[in-house]
Amino acid sequence: MRISDRVRRLTPSLTFALIAKTKALKAQGKDIVSLGAGEPDFPTPENIRRAAARAMDAGHTKYTETPGILDLRKAVCAAYAKQGVTYAPGQVVVTTGAKHALFQAIQAVVNDGDPVLVPQPSWLSYGDMVLAAGGRPVPVACTEERGFKLTPDVLRAASAAESAARLVIFNGVSNPTGVVHSPDEMRALAEVAEERDLWVLSDEIYERLVYGGAKTAPFASVHPKAPARTITVSGVSKTFSMTGWRVGWAAAPADVAEAISTLQGQSTSNTCSVAQHAALEALTGDQTAIEAMCREFETRRDHMVRRLRAIPGVHLTVPQGAFYAFPRVDSYYGRRPGLSGSIAMAEAILEEALVTVVPGQPFGSDAHVRLSYTCSMQDIDKAMDRLDAFFAKLR
Ligand code: PMP
Ligand code: GLU
């Protein structure tokens, strides 16, 4: 058969490929430490698991409304209301993870050939999602000198250079850099969006995972005119350690939410009914476990930062959120034949140090690699001991 041009434009998700490779190597008995997967290692909290069991017993095992059960959409609205954004349940579509919310949002507003501004470094799936919609991803460099942040002047210049671009993808708490944009910084971006007539697809999946007093907010809350030009995406995967349950959402102006719901009604229908009931408990139930997870991530972050900064030639911008560190390792490139970029570096680290890290190249920076601190402190130490030895050999 012939594969469509649309799909042939896409690259398989490297993060998922690495997760699979790590599992396969472990199954062969190799003692790999994985700093690869962007997936919390904690079990889904008990109250949430129990809510799912109760939902099954109560017979919530059928199709639901396409955009999700009303109680969950109301809970999403209530969570935004607390943060100063008013959404009606009709503006919320519950999706198969935040990933599918992003995918469908892009499908809903991007036409063939449309340029879309994609800050770099950023999560590797954005560009492919734009390609899948027939759009053209336009990289917008957010340099390490500027702390990897999308700044108003950079956004303004990118929009002027690509004046047909209507959409910018924004990840305020960033995968892979861990950078956190403050509400004031976002307000300045919202002003540029107003001035340049840009729509903002705001990926807020890491909104609750911020450390050391860093502050974030829903993009739609930072400017009175922001809700009308923002599609807010989030979900339960990261905050509640629920990656496998596949529940996310998009909250948007009513016409966009309706378009996303129409698309969903012709593709996946509702996401899993039982998982929706679990997500309802996640949003409305006891939050103690979440606070404990967050504190643990912060402790791990501090430790990984200390260890990375102790390696000569490795430069790190301290991450303030999510669960990633994105050290710059290019001073080691060329120290050995073939060690010429982040893909070769990640391969060498996996083969020789038995540690999975993710190359920065598909995130838009070949000088960096990504390390997730989604494993125990013991594993972080084990991985860092191995990385110390690996880099020492290269010096
Ligand atoms: N956005 C970013 C920045 C992510 O890192 C991820 C990780 N998977 C997602 C969205 C998608 O999350 P979900 O598991 O809810 O689809
Ligand atoms: N978002 C996580 C990561 O970047 C999970 C994998 C994926 O969805 O790409 O590792």
Side-chain angles (χ1 to χ4, degrees):
M1 267 190 256
R2 189 211 53 196
I3 304 303
S4 68
D5 296 345
R6 208 172 43 255
V7 172
R8 277 195 294 135
R9 272 182 233 132
L10 310 186
T11 314
S13 163
L14 182 78
T15 38
F16 278 133
L18 275 168
I19 292 169
K21 187 168 177 186
T22 303
K23 279 193 181 145
L25 287 169
K26 281 187 179 171
Q28 288 166 21
K30 294 240 165 84
D31 176 27
I32 309 281
V33 186
S34 179
L35 306 180
E39 149 162 82
D41 53 320
F42 307 106
T44 301
E46 192 180 351
N47 62 312
I48 299 174
R49 302 198 309 267
R50 294 259 168 280
R54 277 198 309 276
M56 280 190 281
D57 291 343
H60 295 305
T61 52
K62 311 282 186 190
Y63 293 130
T64 73
E65 300 89 316
T66 294
I69 56 173
L70 187 57
D71 283 350
L72 178 54
R73 284 182 287 139
K74 281 186 178 164
V76 169
C77 295
Y80 286 116
K82 271 200 213 148
Q83 299 175 84
V85 193
T86 306
Y87 283 122
Q91 293 177 269
V92 175
V93 184
V94 175
T95 56
T96 307
K99 195 176 214 168
H100 204 231
L102 293 162
F103 187 91
Q104 297 189 114
I106 292 169
Q107 291 284 335
V109 300
V110 172
N111 274 324
D112 278 339
D114 281 355
V116 176
L117 303 179
V118 184
Q120 302 278 289
S122 65
W123 186 38
L124 47 77
S125 288
Y126 297 142
D128 284 86
M129 290 181 185
V130 171
L131 290 174
R136 179 166 57 84
V138 177
V140 177
C142 299
T143 60
E144 191 155 19
E145 293 70 47
R146 292 164 180 266
F148 290 127
K149 287 186 183 180
L150 180 64
T151 56
D153 51 337
V154 166
L155 180 59
R156 192 178 285 111
S159 156
E162 201 63 57
S163 57
R166 288 280 66 77
L167 183 67
V168 55
I169 300 180
F170 177 65
N171 184 209
V173 181
S174 159
N175 174 6
T177 63
V179 63
V180 175
H181 296 73
S182 71
D184 282 344
E185 287 166 337
M186 287 192 264
R187 188 166 308 115
L189 293 171
E191 272 159 20
V192 177
E194 230 4 74
E195 175 192 315
R196 303 285 319 168
D197 189 17
L198 289 168
W199 312 322
V200 181
L201 176 54
S202 180
D203 179 353
E204 300 175 6
I205 190 75
Y206 297 104
E207 60 191 326
R208 303 261 304 260
L209 300 174
V210 294
Y211 316 118
K215 292 257 176 314
T216 183
F219 192 85
S221 74
V222 299
H223 190 284
K225 292 195 171 160
R229 52 176 69 257
T230 305
I231 305 175
T232 307
V233 167
S234 192
V236 295
S237 294
K238 314 289 176 174
T239 308
F240 301 96
S241 201
M242 290 178 72
T243 46
W245 298 74
R246 311 311 300 132
V247 181
W249 55 80
D255 54 345
V256 177
E258 211 174 290
I260 293 173
S261 187
T262 301
L263 180 61
Q264 179 155 298
Q266 296 291 20
S267 49
T268 59
S269 310
N270 59 276
T271 192
C272 169
S273 56
V274 174
Q276 289 187 59
H277 284 273
L280 177 59
E281 171 66 21
L283 290 187
T284 58
D286 183 15
Q287 304 290 301
T288 327
I290 309 317
E291 283 145 25
M293 286 194 263
C294 206
R295 276 196 304 276
E296 175 64 20
F297 277 136
E298 182 157 10
T299 306
R300 293 175 185 178
R301 174 200 72 149
D302 293 347
H303 190 56
M304 188 180 267
V305 165
R306 260 194 309 275
R307 297 262 346 223
L308 279 170
R309 290 198 139 175
I311 304 177
V314 169
H315 171 79
L316 181 72
T317 295
V318 175
Q320 296 172 291
F323 31 59
Y324 307 108
F326 200 54
R328 181 166 184 163
V329 294
D330 60 342
S331 69
Y332 285 91
Y333 295 171
R335 300 262 178 131
R336 174 204 287 174
L339 196 59
S340 53
S342 63
I343 293 180
M345 178 59 92
E347 266 166 19
I349 291 174
L350 182 56
E351 272 156 34
E352 294 167 40
L354 301 182
V355 176
T356 314
V357 303
V358 184
Q361 189 261 353
F363 295 86
S365 176
D366 202 29
H368 297 78
V369 291
R370 191 191 78 174
L371 282 59
S372 305
Y373 41 94
T374 48
C375 58
S376 66
M377 288 288 266
Q378 290 86 328
D379 274 356
I380 291 174
D381 265 326
K382 192 165 157 186
M384 295 309 304
D385 289 346
R386 291 177 181 185
L387 288 177
D388 271 345
F390 173 84
F391 285 114
K393 259 201 307 191
L394 288 176
R395 284 196 291 276

